[in-house]
Amino acid sequence: MSPDLREEKFPGIPPFPDSVHTAPLLRISLYKLLLQDPTEQDQLWRACCDLGFFYLDLRLSLANKNLYKSSSNLEVDGPLFSQMQTGCSLLEKSYFSYRLKRNSGMNLPATYKGLGSGVLDKSGAKDRIEFYNVSKDDILGISNALPAPAMLNNHKPVLRSYIQTSHSLISLILGVLNKRLQLPESRLQGLHRLKAASGDQVRFLRAPPQPKEDRGTALEGHTDFGSITVLFNKMGGLQVRLPAGIEPIPPSRSNSLDTIEQLHGENGDGEKWVYVRPLPGHAIINLGDAMVKFSGGILRSDIHRVVSPPGAQAGTTRFSLVYFSRPEDKVMLGALKESPLIAQSAGDEPEEVINSRTGY
């Protein structure tokens, strides 16, 4: 069967409900981007300017191994995602987090964050998600090796392949944006070299089911600090806050409690929170704040959060696999005014220029 004809459901996972508003993310074909299809590049540019979120369809590229040989590690049922679900015990993860922080005195990129260790709002509500970060520089040998759970040490080749493939995707996207922003050749790619020291990291996330009587936000609304984020998951829970002028996809089944709950998320300025529907064979891509800085505000980094999955999915543990790309450590984040397009957008007002690694 052609990959385009696959049923858009994940086996073994309760179906995503048809009773909620969803985000109108554009579907961008990796296969067509690799072929430098101008229409697909137009769609990518539109998605990055309007919302900063889009689907990257990997299916034809996964089928054509000669075209994109490493893509099998990007499948949501691939080896890295599977081993994450069986992963390390909480005790082992907490132990390594403690060792790293005690020995270094700082928050290193390979750390574990436990459930409820973060505060969501002024009321003191705790977050409902745990994650473990793995540094790109550690896995590729760019930095000194960090202690890690045995499961990760035993699967470094898979992690290395995942990092390299994710970075290839990001470089491809940066190449399209570089041209549309009228920057010198490979300017953006040159700020994100694979072998250069950076804050790039792989993150494994787990959000257990929440009590039926108390389902709420698992991770508060935020934008990503870095450049481009590559996300894989099988279940709902990710929500984006749509800006005024972008309408959600309405539910196909109306008059439901789920629909009413979504409308209650609307803000006074016309923005509303809506779910991002996970799709088999697709990654969810979003831009971070660094791309807004580089482009002088032309590109968008949208606010998003994680909540309890909708419908029957609420009773299932939600796993996610993420790659966060950041500019190289020495890069200063500011408008790249060698582009006339960016210079015009940024204007003459002084801007705050910050360091990619430290944030100041």
Side-chain angles (χ1 to χ4, degrees), residues 39-337:
T39 301
E40 212 67 13
Q41 292 177 345
D42 288 343
Q43 289 281 83
L44 173 62
W45 174 249
R46 176 187 162 196
C48 292
C49 293
D50 292 350
L51 186 57
F53 269 82
F54 60 91
Y55 295 112
L56 187 62
D57 187 345
L58 306 170
R59 293 173 297 177
L60 285 174
S61 298
L62 290 172
N64 189 338
K65 298 303 181 184
N66 292 325
L67 180 64
Y68 213 66
K69 294 180 181 179
S70 300
S71 295
S72 59
N73 282 328
L74 293 178
E75 292 180 272
V76 77
D77 288 316
L80 192 58
F81 199 91
S82 296
Q83 71 190 46
M84 174 193 67
Q85 295 186 58
T86 58
C88 341
S89 70
L90 300 189
L91 178 63
E92 189 177 14
K93 287 185 287 189
S94 299
Y95 168 70
F96 275 99
S97 176
Y98 170 75
R99 274 184 59 186
L100 287 169
K101 291 181 178 179
R102 188 182 69 169
N103 292 343
S104 67
M106 62 185 292
N107 185 21
L108 291 171
T111 53
Y112 168 72
K113 188 206 79 66
L115 285 166
S117 62
V119 178
L120 292 174
D121 53 39
K122 294 179 180 179
S123 71
K126 302 294 186 180
D127 71 78
R128 306 178 185 199
I129 202 165
E130 64 174 343
F131 59 73
Y132 191 94
N133 294 334
V134 181
S135 164
K136 179 264 291 183
D137 292 359
D138 178 20
I139 298 300
L140 298 187
I142 298 168
S143 64
N144 294 329
L146 296 171
M151 184 275 289
L152 292 179
N153 282 328
N154 293 338
H155 292 85
K156 278 193 173 182
V158 178
L159 276 165
R160 188 178 301 113
S161 177
Y162 173 70
I163 288 169
Q164 291 168 340
T165 307
S166 295
H167 194 273
S168 295
L169 292 179
I170 289 160
S171 294
L172 180 66
I173 294 167
L174 290 175
V176 176
L177 298 179
N178 193 87
K179 184 176 180 180
R180 295 305 173 99
L181 289 168
Q182 301 176 21
L183 284 163
E185 186 175 359
S186 301
R187 180 73 165 101
L188 286 175
Q189 299 96 308
L191 302 175
H192 301 82
R193 294 171 297 171
L194 178 65
K195 297 297 179 64
S198 73
D200 287 29
Q201 57 191 247
V202 179
R203 178 172 293 178
F204 304 96
L205 297 102
R206 173 182 174 271
Q210 299 181 23
K212 189 173 183 180
E213 67 280 2
D214 182 30
R215 288 175 179 164
T217 303
L219 188 64
E220 64 183 334
H222 64 282
T223 57
D224 292 344
F225 175 79
S227 299
I228 297 178
T229 300
V230 181
L231 166 67
F232 293 94
N233 61 22
K234 299 181 181 182
M235 293 172 48
L238 173 66
Q239 289 187 333
V240 299
R241 200 175 78 178
L242 296 182
I246 296 183
E247 294 300 318
I249 299 173
S252 57
R253 181 165 57 87
S254 59
N255 299 321
S256 71
L257 292 177
D258 287 333
T259 298
I260 294 171
E261 289 170 0
Q262 291 311 297
L263 293 177
H264 285 169
E266 189 170 353
N267 300 312
D269 56 6
E271 295 179 333
K272 58 176 72 70
W273 291 102
V274 292
Y275 283 102
V276 175
R277 180 191 293 268
L279 298 177
H282 293 68
I284 297 168
I285 310 291
N286 69 277
L287 303 191
D289 298 340
M291 299 303 294
V292 179
K293 296 285 283 187
F294 288 145
S295 68
I298 295 174
L299 302 176
R300 183 177 177 86
S301 174
D302 201 58
I303 296 176
H304 52 285
R305 68 182 182 184
V306 179
V307 300
S308 181
Q313 292 189 346
T316 303
T317 298
R318 181 180 185 270
F319 293 95
S320 301
L321 173 63
V322 189
Y323 187 84
F324 292 105
S325 170
R326 285 191 170 189
E328 298 169 20
D329 286 352
K330 296 181 179 180
V331 170
M332 300 301 293
L333 304 184
L336 302 176
K337 293 186 178 180

